[in-house]
Every structure is written in structure tokens, then in C-alpha cells.
Amino acid sequence: GAGVSQSPSNKVTEKGKDVELRCDPISGHTALYWYRQSLGQGLEFLIYFQGNSAPDKSGLPSDRFSAERTGGSVSTLTIQRTQQEDSAVYLCASSPRTGRTNEKLFFGSGTQLSVL
Amino acid sequence: GESVGLHLPTLSVQEGDNSIINCAYSNSASDYFIWYKQESGKGPQFIIDIRSNMDKRQGQRVTVLLNKTVKHLSLQIAATQPGDSAVYFCAENTGGYNKLIFGAGTRLAVHP
């Protein structure tokens, strides 16, 4: 079956522009996560969605970052007024069960964002 | 060890040798741990997991060891193959829902 799909795979933008990154999770997965991976670094948690519950936004680095998840499926991560330090790979992951701990995340291939 | 900046620690091994990748985790309350493999240009792929009530778990060619006393996790890969070349991340679940905290990663380079 299809895995987690992210688009675009690469995005180059100018400093100050807004960008939208899209994630299509695995069908039926109720939990969705966004992580950020800077060059040579580990993954930094950004935001978590679970069903109809309020998302956990505790990892968002500034108010320029926001995310939505429509209809419990597709998610969009928006970065406003991009800065060069926003350059990174943005990874989306989903997991199958409702609010459970101890289950593995399935990752997409990420969007490589480059801010010039 | 953990990396700083752009320089991931690298483990170089010969094809056929066994590899051991180490990870120190941060939270003594963490109850679930995962190893992920990330190849260039791809997202992380699940390798193996272990719960805190275990100290060892084996998969196909891989073994994870957990030492809660010193908060240490290791991944052993038997008979390492060129296809094992990747960056390996450990991750811990610090409780609540499945919010994983990732280590900085170790690059495994397998030489023929």
C-alpha cells in the first residue's frame, strides 16, 4: 500500500516568502506528526495531531510556523516570512492507532526547504 | 557519542563484520525506544523497538540492548552489508502519546 506522501520534495524560496508543505498520511492512520531535520542533525519534533483532539504545538519554533490537518487526513505545514535558518528537511510521519504509546511512526521522504 | 553541528559520528566497518551503534538517552522515565535507519534522500525507516521492561530484543540480523541503569541503548547489526550503510537514529518515548525524541544519529559506512 501507499506510504506517507509529502509534497513538494524540494522547495526553494526567497527570504520573507511564505511556504506550504503538504503531507498525506497512510490511509486510516489517526496520528500525524511533523518533524524538522537540519543538516547533519537529528529530528526535532514540531507538532502532533491526533483525531479531533487539539494538536500539540509545543515544538513549533516560532509563531511563523503553523499547521492544519483537514478532515483527519491531509496536513499542511505553513511557514510565514521564511528565514534562512528555516532551511531544513521537513518530515511528516503517521501512526495507526488512537493515542497509543509504543507504536512505530511511518515517515515520508520529506520536503527539502531551502531559503535563499 | 552525540554529534554537534554538521559532523555526525561515523562508524566504519568491513563488509561481513558485526557493527555496534551506541546511543545515550536523556530521560529516565522513557518507556519505549526505537532505532531508525535513514538512507540518503529518504525518511527514517523503522528497524527495531524495545520496551523498558526488556533489556534485549532480537530481529533479523539486528539486536537492541537496553541498559536503563546508565540510560544506554545499542544496536548490533550482524554480518554488516553494504546496504546497511546509512545514518542510524535512536529515539525515546518520554511518555504520554507517541512523541519521540531523537538522538543526533550515527553514520554507518560499510566497506567492501
Side-chain angles (χ1 to χ4, degrees):
Chain A
V4 177
S5 177
Q6 292 188 246
S7 60
S9 55
N10 283 281
K11 176 70 176 178
V12 181
T13 191
E14 294 179 349
K15 178 181 174 181
K17 301 280 189 179
D18 298 352
V19 295
E20 286 189 351
L21 312 180
R22 177 187 169 106
C23 173
D24 285 85
I26 294 172
S27 178
H29 281 195
T30 59
L32 186 147
Y33 306 75
W34 284 98
Y35 283 82
R36 177 169 72 173
Q37 185 175 30
S38 300
L39 185 63
Q41 299 291 313
L43 281 70
E44 174 191 3
F45 169 79
L46 296 178
I47 189 169
Y48 160 77
F49 294 91
Q50 174 57 60
N52 295 321
S53 302
D56 177 347
K57 304 179 181 180
S58 61
L60 295 178
S62 77
D63 59 8
R64 296 186 296 105
F65 288 72
S66 63
E68 292 183 340
R69 188 179 185 192
T70 54
S73 181
V74 172
S75 177
T76 302
L77 177 69
T78 301
I79 309 173
Q80 296 178 308
R81 305 181 301 282
T82 52
Q83 304 295 312
Q84 289 182 333
E85 61 264 27
D86 299 335
S87 297
V89 175
Y90 289 82
L91 288 159
C92 177
S94 66
S95 64
R97 285 178 285 183
T98 304
R100 290 279 299 273
T101 59
N102 300 341
E103 59 184 23
K104 57 190 177 187
L105 273 59
F106 296 82
F107 282 87
S109 294
T111 294
Q112 172 73 65
L113 175 65
S114 300
V115 182
L116 305 178
Chain B
E2 297 296 302
S3 68
V4 177
L6 303 181
H7 303 289
L8 286 174
T10 298
L11 175 65
S12 293
V13 300
Q14 293 294 122
E15 181 178 358
D17 287 352
N18 296 334
S19 304
I20 301 176
I21 301 172
N22 296 304
C23 177
Y25 64 91
S26 58
N27 192 329
S28 57
S30 293
D31 59 0
Y32 178 59
F33 305 87
I34 305 182
W35 280 99
Y36 279 90
K37 172 186 180 182
Q38 187 175 29
E39 297 174 284
S40 181
K42 298 183 179 180
Q45 290 179 285
F46 171 88
I47 303 174
I48 192 168
D49 58 1
I50 189 168
R51 300 171 194 266
S52 59
N53 61 354
M54 303 170 68
D55 54 19
K56 181 180 179 179
R57 191 168 186 211
Q58 289 184 293
Q60 186 177 13
R61 280 203 307 121
V62 294
T63 301
V64 56
L65 299 177
L66 174 63
N67 185 331
K68 294 183 289 294
T69 302
V70 295
K71 293 189 289 186
H72 183 268
L73 197 66
S74 69
L75 176 70
Q76 300 178 358
I77 305 174
T80 314
Q81 302 169 1
D84 296 327
S85 294
V87 177
Y88 289 79
F89 294 98
C90 65
E92 60 184 301
N93 181 356
T94 57
Y97 63 85
N98 205 40
K99 177 179 173 180
L100 295 177
I101 305 300
F102 283 78
T106 296
R107 186 179 306 280
L108 177 64
V110 182
H111 302 285

